[in-house]
mmCIF file of all heavy atoms in Angstrom:
data_model
loop_
_atom_site.group_PDB
_atom_site.id
_atom_site.type_symbol
_atom_site.label_atom_id
_atom_site.label_comp_id
_atom_site.label_asym_id
_atom_site.label_seq_id
_atom_site.Cartn_x
_atom_site.Cartn_y
_atom_site.Cartn_z
ATOM 1 N N ALA A 4 9.495 8.087 -5.869
ATOM 2 C CA ALA A 4 8.775 9.346 -5.704
ATOM 3 C C ALA A 4 9.759 10.491 -5.508
ATOM 4 O O ALA A 4 10.936 10.267 -5.230
ATOM 5 C CB ALA A 4 7.846 9.256 -4.502
ATOM 6 N N SER A 5 9.260 11.687 -5.674
ATOM 7 C CA SER A 5 10.093 12.855 -5.361
ATOM 8 C C SER A 5 10.371 12.859 -3.862
ATOM 9 O O SER A 5 9.591 12.328 -3.068
ATOM 10 C CB SER A 5 9.382 14.134 -5.774
ATOM 11 O OG SER A 5 8.214 14.313 -4.997
ATOM 12 N N GLN A 6 11.479 13.472 -3.488
ATOM 13 C CA GLN A 6 11.872 13.455 -2.092
ATOM 14 C C GLN A 6 10.817 14.110 -1.212
ATOM 15 O O GLN A 6 10.485 13.609 -0.127
ATOM 16 C CB GLN A 6 13.218 14.169 -1.934
ATOM 17 C CG GLN A 6 13.856 13.988 -0.552
ATOM 18 C CD GLN A 6 13.334 14.956 0.482
ATOM 19 O OE1 GLN A 6 12.893 16.060 0.148
ATOM 20 N NE2 GLN A 6 13.363 14.557 1.739
ATOM 21 N N ARG A 7 10.261 15.218 -1.696
ATOM 22 C CA ARG A 7 9.278 15.939 -0.890
ATOM 23 C C ARG A 7 8.024 15.095 -0.666
ATOM 24 O O ARG A 7 7.498 15.021 0.436
ATOM 25 C CB ARG A 7 8.904 17.262 -1.560
ATOM 26 C CG ARG A 7 7.847 18.036 -0.778
ATOM 27 C CD ARG A 7 7.583 19.392 -1.387
ATOM 28 N NE ARG A 7 6.595 20.138 -0.611
ATOM 29 C CZ ARG A 7 6.229 21.379 -0.880
ATOM 30 N NH1 ARG A 7 6.772 22.023 -1.879
ATOM 31 N NH2 ARG A 7 5.326 21.972 -0.132
ATOM 32 N N THR A 8 7.568 14.466 -1.733
ATOM 33 C CA THR A 8 6.372 13.626 -1.613
ATOM 34 C C THR A 8 6.635 12.458 -0.686
ATOM 35 O O THR A 8 5.841 12.133 0.201
ATOM 36 C CB THR A 8 5.946 13.099 -2.991
ATOM 37 O OG1 THR A 8 5.569 14.194 -3.814
ATOM 38 C CG2 THR A 8 4.792 12.121 -2.877
ATOM 39 N N PHE A 9 7.754 11.808 -0.883
ATOM 40 C CA PHE A 9 8.045 10.597 -0.130
ATOM 41 C C PHE A 9 8.186 10.876 1.354
ATOM 42 O O PHE A 9 7.674 10.155 2.198
ATOM 43 C CB PHE A 9 9.322 9.960 -0.677
ATOM 44 C CG PHE A 9 9.523 8.552 -0.237
ATOM 45 C CD1 PHE A 9 8.863 7.519 -0.865
ATOM 46 C CD2 PHE A 9 10.381 8.257 0.811
ATOM 47 C CE1 PHE A 9 9.045 6.213 -0.467
ATOM 48 C CE2 PHE A 9 10.572 6.955 1.222
ATOM 49 C CZ PHE A 9 9.901 5.923 0.584
ATOM 50 N N SER A 10 8.856 11.940 1.685
ATOM 51 C CA SER A 10 9.149 12.223 3.093
ATOM 52 C C SER A 10 7.933 12.669 3.886
ATOM 53 O O SER A 10 7.953 12.642 5.119
ATOM 54 C CB SER A 10 10.246 13.280 3.205
ATOM 55 O OG SER A 10 9.778 14.526 2.689
ATOM 56 N N THR A 11 6.884 13.057 3.209
ATOM 57 C CA THR A 11 5.689 13.547 3.897
ATOM 58 C C THR A 11 4.488 12.641 3.695
ATOM 59 O O THR A 11 3.357 13.034 3.992
ATOM 60 C CB THR A 11 5.330 14.964 3.430
ATOM 61 O OG1 THR A 11 5.090 14.936 2.020
ATOM 62 C CG2 THR A 11 6.436 15.950 3.737
ATOM 63 N N SER A 12 4.723 11.424 3.201
ATOM 64 C CA SER A 12 3.598 10.563 2.842
ATOM 65 C C SER A 12 3.683 9.161 3.424
ATOM 66 O O SER A 12 4.767 8.575 3.513
ATOM 67 C CB SER A 12 3.503 10.424 1.320
ATOM 68 O OG SER A 12 3.245 11.664 0.696
ATOM 69 N N ALA A 13 2.515 8.657 3.797
ATOM 70 C CA ALA A 13 2.363 7.219 3.965
ATOM 71 C C ALA A 13 2.217 6.649 2.554
ATOM 72 O O ALA A 13 1.499 7.225 1.726
ATOM 73 C CB ALA A 13 1.141 6.905 4.807
ATOM 74 N N MET A 14 2.876 5.550 2.280
ATOM 75 C CA MET A 14 2.913 5.005 0.925
ATOM 76 C C MET A 14 2.208 3.649 0.874
ATOM 77 O O MET A 14 2.297 2.846 1.814
ATOM 78 C CB MET A 14 4.370 4.828 0.475
ATOM 79 C CG MET A 14 5.186 6.104 0.477
ATOM 80 S SD MET A 14 4.580 7.332 -0.682
ATOM 81 C CE MET A 14 4.834 6.479 -2.250
ATOM 82 N N GLY A 15 1.541 3.408 -0.234
ATOM 83 C CA GLY A 15 0.809 2.155 -0.316
ATOM 84 C C GLY A 15 0.726 1.610 -1.728
ATOM 85 O O GLY A 15 1.203 2.226 -2.688
ATOM 86 N N TRP A 16 0.137 0.431 -1.821
ATOM 87 C CA TRP A 16 -0.131 -0.224 -3.095
ATOM 88 C C TRP A 16 -1.598 -0.642 -3.147
ATOM 89 O O TRP A 16 -2.141 -1.175 -2.165
ATOM 90 C CB TRP A 16 0.755 -1.459 -3.264
ATOM 91 C CG TRP A 16 2.204 -1.152 -3.423
ATOM 92 C CD1 TRP A 16 3.148 -1.067 -2.432
ATOM 93 C CD2 TRP A 16 2.883 -0.874 -4.655
ATOM 94 N NE1 TRP A 16 4.362 -0.747 -2.969
ATOM 95 C CE2 TRP A 16 4.237 -0.634 -4.334
ATOM 96 C CE3 TRP A 16 2.498 -0.811 -5.994
ATOM 97 C CZ2 TRP A 16 5.205 -0.335 -5.295
ATOM 98 C CZ3 TRP A 16 3.453 -0.516 -6.944
ATOM 99 C CH2 TRP A 16 4.787 -0.283 -6.609
ATOM 100 N N PHE A 17 -2.192 -0.410 -4.302
ATOM 101 C CA PHE A 17 -3.535 -0.867 -4.598
ATOM 102 C C PHE A 17 -3.466 -1.656 -5.897
ATOM 103 O O PHE A 17 -2.469 -1.593 -6.615
ATOM 104 C CB PHE A 17 -4.495 0.323 -4.761
ATOM 105 C CG PHE A 17 -4.812 1.043 -3.485
ATOM 106 C CD1 PHE A 17 -3.852 1.819 -2.840
ATOM 107 C CD2 PHE A 17 -6.072 0.963 -2.909
ATOM 108 C CE1 PHE A 17 -4.140 2.487 -1.658
ATOM 109 C CE2 PHE A 17 -6.377 1.637 -1.733
ATOM 110 C CZ PHE A 17 -5.406 2.390 -1.110
ATOM 111 N N ARG A 18 -4.520 -2.372 -6.219
ATOM 112 C CA ARG A 18 -4.544 -3.102 -7.481
ATOM 113 C C ARG A 18 -5.954 -3.103 -8.058
ATOM 114 O O ARG A 18 -6.929 -2.953 -7.325
ATOM 115 C CB ARG A 18 -4.034 -4.524 -7.301
ATOM 116 C CG ARG A 18 -4.934 -5.425 -6.451
ATOM 117 C CD ARG A 18 -4.258 -6.764 -6.202
ATOM 118 N NE ARG A 18 -5.093 -7.667 -5.419
ATOM 119 C CZ ARG A 18 -4.690 -8.848 -4.954
ATOM 120 N NH1 ARG A 18 -3.442 -9.272 -5.202
ATOM 121 N NH2 ARG A 18 -5.516 -9.606 -4.260
ATOM 122 N N GLN A 19 -6.008 -3.269 -9.369
ATOM 123 C CA GLN A 19 -7.289 -3.298 -10.055
ATOM 124 C C GLN A 19 -7.254 -4.331 -11.156
ATOM 125 O O GLN A 19 -6.445 -4.223 -12.088
ATOM 126 C CB GLN A 19 -7.642 -1.916 -10.622
ATOM 127 C CG GLN A 19 -9.041 -1.821 -11.177
ATOM 128 C CD GLN A 19 -9.453 -0.390 -11.446
ATOM 129 O OE1 GLN A 19 -8.628 0.516 -11.542
ATOM 130 N NE2 GLN A 19 -10.747 -0.164 -11.560
ATOM 131 N N ALA A 20 -8.113 -5.321 -11.033
ATOM 132 C CA ALA A 20 -8.257 -6.343 -12.064
ATOM 133 C C ALA A 20 -9.361 -5.924 -13.031
ATOM 134 O O ALA A 20 -10.231 -5.122 -12.673
ATOM 135 C CB ALA A 20 -8.594 -7.684 -11.419
ATOM 136 N N PRO A 21 -9.353 -6.465 -14.239
ATOM 137 C CA PRO A 21 -10.373 -6.096 -15.235
ATOM 138 C C PRO A 21 -11.786 -6.337 -14.704
ATOM 139 O O PRO A 21 -12.077 -7.403 -14.155
ATOM 140 C CB PRO A 21 -10.063 -7.010 -16.414
ATOM 141 C CG PRO A 21 -8.607 -7.285 -16.286
ATOM 142 C CD PRO A 21 -8.341 -7.368 -14.818
ATOM 143 N N GLY A 22 -12.631 -5.325 -14.842
ATOM 144 C CA GLY A 22 -14.012 -5.457 -14.420
ATOM 145 C C GLY A 22 -14.245 -5.349 -12.930
ATOM 146 O O GLY A 22 -15.373 -5.514 -12.466
ATOM 147 N N LYS A 23 -13.177 -5.078 -12.183
ATOM 148 C CA LYS A 23 -13.303 -4.972 -10.726
ATOM 149 C C LYS A 23 -12.892 -3.591 -10.254
ATOM 150 O O LYS A 23 -12.210 -2.849 -10.951
ATOM 151 C CB LYS A 23 -12.449 -6.039 -10.037
ATOM 152 C CG LYS A 23 -12.904 -7.460 -10.313
ATOM 153 C CD LYS A 23 -12.137 -8.454 -9.466
ATOM 154 C CE LYS A 23 -12.648 -9.868 -9.676
ATOM 155 N NZ LYS A 23 -11.915 -10.846 -8.823
ATOM 156 N N GLU A 24 -13.298 -3.273 -9.038
ATOM 157 C CA GLU A 24 -12.914 -1.995 -8.459
ATOM 158 C C GLU A 24 -11.473 -2.053 -7.954
ATOM 159 O O GLU A 24 -10.949 -3.126 -7.641
ATOM 160 C CB GLU A 24 -13.859 -1.642 -7.307
ATOM 161 C CG GLU A 24 -15.289 -1.379 -7.730
ATOM 162 C CD GLU A 24 -16.153 -0.888 -6.595
ATOM 163 O OE1 GLU A 24 -15.708 -0.943 -5.435
ATOM 164 O OE2 GLU A 24 -17.285 -0.465 -6.864
ATOM 165 N N ARG A 25 -10.873 -0.884 -7.876
ATOM 166 C CA ARG A 25 -9.523 -0.801 -7.320
ATOM 167 C C ARG A 25 -9.585 -1.166 -5.835
ATOM 168 O O ARG A 25 -10.476 -0.698 -5.108
ATOM 169 C CB ARG A 25 -8.968 0.598 -7.506
ATOM 170 C CG ARG A 25 -7.476 0.718 -7.228
ATOM 171 C CD ARG A 25 -6.931 2.062 -7.687
ATOM 172 N NE ARG A 25 -7.081 2.232 -9.137
ATOM 173 C CZ ARG A 25 -6.529 3.247 -9.814
ATOM 174 N NH1 ARG A 25 -5.806 4.154 -9.177
ATOM 175 N NH2 ARG A 25 -6.720 3.348 -11.105
ATOM 176 N N GLU A 26 -8.639 -1.979 -5.397
ATOM 177 C CA GLU A 26 -8.666 -2.450 -4.013
ATOM 178 C C GLU A 26 -7.314 -2.273 -3.328
ATOM 179 O O GLU A 26 -6.259 -2.295 -3.957
ATOM 180 C CB GLU A 26 -9.065 -3.934 -3.961
ATOM 181 C CG GLU A 26 -8.077 -4.883 -4.596
ATOM 182 C CD GLU A 26 -8.469 -6.338 -4.428
ATOM 183 O OE1 GLU A 26 -9.573 -6.627 -3.935
ATOM 184 O OE2 GLU A 26 -7.662 -7.214 -4.799
ATOM 185 N N PHE A 27 -7.398 -2.122 -2.028
ATOM 186 C CA PHE A 27 -6.218 -1.961 -1.186
ATOM 187 C C PHE A 27 -5.409 -3.247 -1.146
ATOM 188 O O PHE A 27 -5.968 -4.345 -1.084
ATOM 189 C CB PHE A 27 -6.668 -1.576 0.219
ATOM 190 C CG PHE A 27 -5.606 -1.673 1.268
ATOM 191 C CD1 PHE A 27 -4.590 -0.731 1.326
ATOM 192 C CD2 PHE A 27 -5.612 -2.702 2.189
ATOM 193 C CE1 PHE A 27 -3.609 -0.821 2.298
ATOM 194 C CE2 PHE A 27 -4.643 -2.799 3.166
ATOM 195 C CZ PHE A 27 -3.640 -1.858 3.215
ATOM 196 N N VAL A 28 -4.076 -3.092 -1.171
ATOM 197 C CA VAL A 28 -3.172 -4.234 -1.050
ATOM 198 C C VAL A 28 -2.321 -4.111 0.213
ATOM 199 O O VAL A 28 -2.318 -5.003 1.063
ATOM 200 C CB VAL A 28 -2.264 -4.360 -2.285
ATOM 201 C CG1 VAL A 28 -1.248 -5.488 -2.079
ATOM 202 C CG2 VAL A 28 -3.087 -4.593 -3.542
ATOM 203 N N ALA A 29 -1.568 -3.011 0.328
ATOM 204 C CA ALA A 29 -0.662 -2.852 1.465
ATOM 205 C C ALA A 29 -0.328 -1.387 1.646
ATOM 206 O O ALA A 29 -0.394 -0.606 0.698
ATOM 207 C CB ALA A 29 0.622 -3.656 1.255
ATOM 208 N N VAL A 30 0.069 -1.035 2.872
ATOM 209 C CA VAL A 30 0.443 0.343 3.155
ATOM 210 C C VAL A 30 1.531 0.349 4.225
ATOM 211 O O VAL A 30 1.606 -0.562 5.055
ATOM 212 C CB VAL A 30 -0.777 1.170 3.620
ATOM 213 C CG1 VAL A 30 -1.286 0.677 4.968
ATOM 214 C CG2 VAL A 30 -0.456 2.653 3.667
ATOM 215 N N ILE A 31 2.372 1.375 4.179
ATOM 216 C CA ILE A 31 3.403 1.564 5.187
ATOM 217 C C ILE A 31 3.363 3.018 5.631
ATOM 218 O O ILE A 31 3.219 3.927 4.815
ATOM 219 C CB ILE A 31 4.796 1.162 4.654
ATOM 220 C CG1 ILE A 31 5.840 1.220 5.773
ATOM 221 C CG2 ILE A 31 5.202 1.993 3.450
ATOM 222 C CD1 ILE A 31 7.156 0.513 5.404
ATOM 223 N N SER A 32 3.472 3.217 6.927
ATOM 224 C CA SER A 32 3.357 4.565 7.472
ATOM 225 C C SER A 32 4.534 5.440 7.027
ATOM 226 O O SER A 32 5.567 4.955 6.562
ATOM 227 C CB SER A 32 3.301 4.510 8.995
ATOM 228 O OG SER A 32 4.499 3.936 9.524
ATOM 229 N N ARG A 33 4.356 6.723 7.195
ATOM 230 C CA ARG A 33 5.388 7.688 6.818
ATOM 231 C C ARG A 33 6.711 7.377 7.521
ATOM 232 O O ARG A 33 7.776 7.485 6.927
ATOM 233 C CB ARG A 33 4.900 9.095 7.173
ATOM 234 C CG ARG A 33 5.917 10.194 6.991
ATOM 235 C CD ARG A 33 5.306 11.543 7.375
ATOM 236 N NE ARG A 33 6.333 12.556 7.530
ATOM 237 C CZ ARG A 33 6.092 13.811 7.892
ATOM 238 N NH1 ARG A 33 4.845 14.208 8.108
ATOM 239 N NH2 ARG A 33 7.080 14.666 8.018
ATOM 240 N N GLY A 34 6.647 6.990 8.771
ATOM 241 C CA GLY A 34 7.854 6.681 9.521
ATOM 242 C C GLY A 34 8.379 5.286 9.289
ATOM 243 O O GLY A 34 9.475 4.942 9.763
ATOM 244 N N GLY A 35 7.605 4.477 8.578
ATOM 245 C CA GLY A 35 8.044 3.133 8.270
ATOM 246 C C GLY A 35 7.862 2.121 9.378
ATOM 247 O O GLY A 35 8.302 0.977 9.263
ATOM 248 N N THR A 36 7.206 2.534 10.473
ATOM 249 C CA THR A 36 7.098 1.634 11.620
ATOM 250 C C THR A 36 5.840 0.795 11.620
ATOM 251 O O THR A 36 5.745 -0.183 12.365
ATOM 252 C CB THR A 36 7.134 2.451 12.921
ATOM 253 O OG1 THR A 36 6.071 3.415 12.898
ATOM 254 C CG2 THR A 36 8.469 3.177 13.060
ATOM 255 N N ARG A 37 4.866 1.179 10.821
ATOM 256 C CA ARG A 37 3.605 0.431 10.807
ATOM 257 C C ARG A 37 3.259 0.035 9.388
ATOM 258 O O ARG A 37 3.448 0.806 8.439
ATOM 259 C CB ARG A 37 2.480 1.268 11.409
ATOM 260 C CG ARG A 37 2.658 1.624 12.869
ATOM 261 C CD ARG A 37 1.427 2.322 13.396
ATOM 262 N NE ARG A 37 0.294 1.415 13.502
ATOM 263 C CZ ARG A 37 -0.955 1.815 13.723
ATOM 264 N NH1 ARG A 37 -1.233 3.102 13.826
ATOM 265 N NH2 ARG A 37 -1.934 0.950 13.828
ATOM 266 N N THR A 38 2.743 -1.169 9.251
ATOM 267 C CA THR A 38 2.282 -1.668 7.968
ATOM 268 C C THR A 38 0.907 -2.309 8.137
ATOM 269 O O THR A 38 0.507 -2.686 9.245
ATOM 270 C CB THR A 38 3.247 -2.707 7.389
ATOM 271 O OG1 THR A 38 3.375 -3.797 8.316
ATOM 272 C CG2 THR A 38 4.614 -2.115 7.115
ATOM 273 N N ASN A 39 0.211 -2.414 7.032
ATOM 274 C CA ASN A 39 -1.085 -3.082 7.031
ATOM 275 C C ASN A 39 -1.283 -3.744 5.675
ATOM 276 O O ASN A 39 -0.798 -3.222 4.658
ATOM 277 C CB ASN A 39 -2.214 -2.084 7.295
ATOM 278 C CG ASN A 39 -3.529 -2.767 7.593
ATOM 279 O OD1 ASN A 39 -3.560 -3.833 8.196
ATOM 280 N ND2 ASN A 39 -4.619 -2.158 7.176
ATOM 281 N N TYR A 40 -1.958 -4.881 5.686
ATOM 282 C CA TYR A 40 -2.132 -5.652 4.470
ATOM 283 C C TYR A 40 -3.579 -6.100 4.308
ATOM 284 O O TYR A 40 -4.290 -6.337 5.290
ATOM 285 C CB TYR A 40 -1.249 -6.908 4.504
ATOM 286 C CG TYR A 40 0.221 -6.633 4.571
ATOM 287 C CD1 TYR A 40 0.875 -6.506 5.797
ATOM 288 C CD2 TYR A 40 0.969 -6.483 3.412
ATOM 289 C CE1 TYR A 40 2.230 -6.240 5.869
ATOM 290 C CE2 TYR A 40 2.340 -6.221 3.468
ATOM 291 C CZ TYR A 40 2.946 -6.108 4.702
ATOM 292 O OH TYR A 40 4.299 -5.845 4.744
ATOM 293 N N ALA A 41 -3.986 -6.253 3.066
ATOM 294 C CA ALA A 41 -5.263 -6.901 2.793
ATOM 295 C C ALA A 41 -5.165 -8.357 3.228
ATOM 296 O O ALA A 41 -4.098 -8.970 3.127
ATOM 297 C CB ALA A 41 -5.592 -6.796 1.311
ATOM 298 N N ASP A 42 -6.268 -8.905 3.686
ATOM 299 C CA ASP A 42 -6.263 -10.291 4.138
ATOM 300 C C ASP A 42 -5.799 -11.242 3.032
ATOM 301 O O ASP A 42 -5.151 -12.252 3.313
ATOM 302 C CB ASP A 42 -7.662 -10.693 4.614
ATOM 303 C CG ASP A 42 -8.038 -10.037 5.925
ATOM 304 O OD1 ASP A 42 -7.128 -9.565 6.643
ATOM 305 O OD2 ASP A 42 -9.234 -9.999 6.229
ATOM 306 N N SER A 43 -6.119 -10.913 1.807
ATOM 307 C CA SER A 43 -5.806 -11.797 0.684
ATOM 308 C C SER A 43 -4.314 -11.918 0.408
ATOM 309 O O SER A 43 -3.889 -12.850 -0.295
ATOM 310 C CB SER A 43 -6.523 -11.317 -0.577
ATOM 311 O OG SER A 43 -6.121 -9.992 -0.902
ATOM 312 N N VAL A 44 -3.513 -10.995 0.922
ATOM 313 C CA VAL A 44 -2.068 -11.029 0.642
ATOM 314 C C VAL A 44 -1.218 -11.204 1.896
ATOM 315 O O VAL A 44 0.009 -11.331 1.791
ATOM 316 C CB VAL A 44 -1.607 -9.765 -0.110
ATOM 317 C CG1 VAL A 44 -2.454 -9.544 -1.360
ATOM 318 C CG2 VAL A 44 -1.643 -8.533 0.786
ATOM 319 N N LYS A 45 -1.846 -11.228 3.061
ATOM 320 C CA LYS A 45 -1.082 -11.380 4.305
ATOM 321 C C LYS A 45 -0.266 -12.663 4.287
ATOM 322 O O LYS A 45 -0.752 -13.723 3.906
ATOM 323 C CB LYS A 45 -2.031 -11.385 5.500
ATOM 324 C CG LYS A 45 -2.480 -10.011 5.939
ATOM 325 C CD LYS A 45 -3.388 -10.078 7.161
ATOM 326 C CE LYS A 45 -3.842 -8.700 7.580
ATOM 327 N NZ LYS A 45 -4.796 -8.740 8.708
ATOM 328 N N GLY A 46 0.988 -12.538 4.698
ATOM 329 C CA GLY A 46 1.872 -13.695 4.732
ATOM 330 C C GLY A 46 2.571 -13.968 3.416
ATOM 331 O O GLY A 46 3.500 -14.772 3.364
ATOM 332 N N ARG A 47 2.143 -13.300 2.343
ATOM 333 C CA ARG A 47 2.760 -13.511 1.027
ATOM 334 C C ARG A 47 3.449 -12.248 0.505
ATOM 335 O O ARG A 47 4.463 -12.334 -0.173
ATOM 336 C CB ARG A 47 1.708 -13.955 0.014
ATOM 337 C CG ARG A 47 1.012 -15.251 0.380
ATOM 338 C CD ARG A 47 0.105 -15.737 -0.764
ATOM 339 N NE ARG A 47 -0.965 -14.813 -1.079
ATOM 340 C CZ ARG A 47 -1.140 -14.242 -2.271
ATOM 341 N NH1 ARG A 47 -0.303 -14.519 -3.259
ATOM 342 N NH2 ARG A 47 -2.160 -13.419 -2.475
ATOM 343 N N PHE A 48 2.881 -11.088 0.809
ATOM 344 C CA PHE A 48 3.414 -9.807 0.329
ATOM 345 C C PHE A 48 4.051 -9.049 1.490
ATOM 346 O O PHE A 48 3.581 -9.135 2.634
ATOM 347 C CB PHE A 48 2.304 -8.943 -0.260
ATOM 348 C CG PHE A 48 1.709 -9.430 -1.552
ATOM 349 C CD1 PHE A 48 1.991 -10.695 -2.059
ATOM 350 C CD2 PHE A 48 0.875 -8.595 -2.282
ATOM 351 C CE1 PHE A 48 1.440 -11.136 -3.244
ATOM 352 C CE2 PHE A 48 0.316 -9.013 -3.479
ATOM 353 C CZ PHE A 48 0.591 -10.291 -3.955
ATOM 354 N N THR A 49 5.101 -8.296 1.163
ATOM 355 C CA THR A 49 5.753 -7.453 2.157
ATOM 356 C C THR A 49 6.013 -6.079 1.561
ATOM 357 O O THR A 49 6.618 -5.966 0.492
ATOM 358 C CB THR A 49 7.082 -8.063 2.611
ATOM 359 O OG1 THR A 49 6.864 -9.374 3.138
ATOM 360 C CG2 THR A 49 7.729 -7.197 3.687
#
């Protein structure tokens, strides 16, 4: 990302399979100290 966007944003990943809605995967806070994961990927994705 651009420096300005990155430094002022919490960043995350979502995914969308064919025929399905876009869904949350993981997120990390702006400061990098907090993360959260979808139950389906916990323990496998970082």
Side-chain angles (χ1 to χ4, degrees):
S5 65
Q6 191 277 333
R7 178 175 181 176
T8 296
F9 195 81
S10 66
T11 60
S12 297
M14 301 297 296
W16 292 92
F17 289 70
R18 67 187 181 187
Q19 188 168 18
K23 295 187 176 181
E24 294 186 349
R25 192 169 298 189
E26 65 176 7
F27 167 74
V28 175
V30 66
I31 186 166
S32 62
R33 173 180 166 182
T36 57
R37 297 186 70 192
T38 59
N39 192 34
Y40 298 90
D42 288 341
S43 59
V44 307
K45 280 182 181 176
R47 300 188 298 120
F48 291 10
T49 302

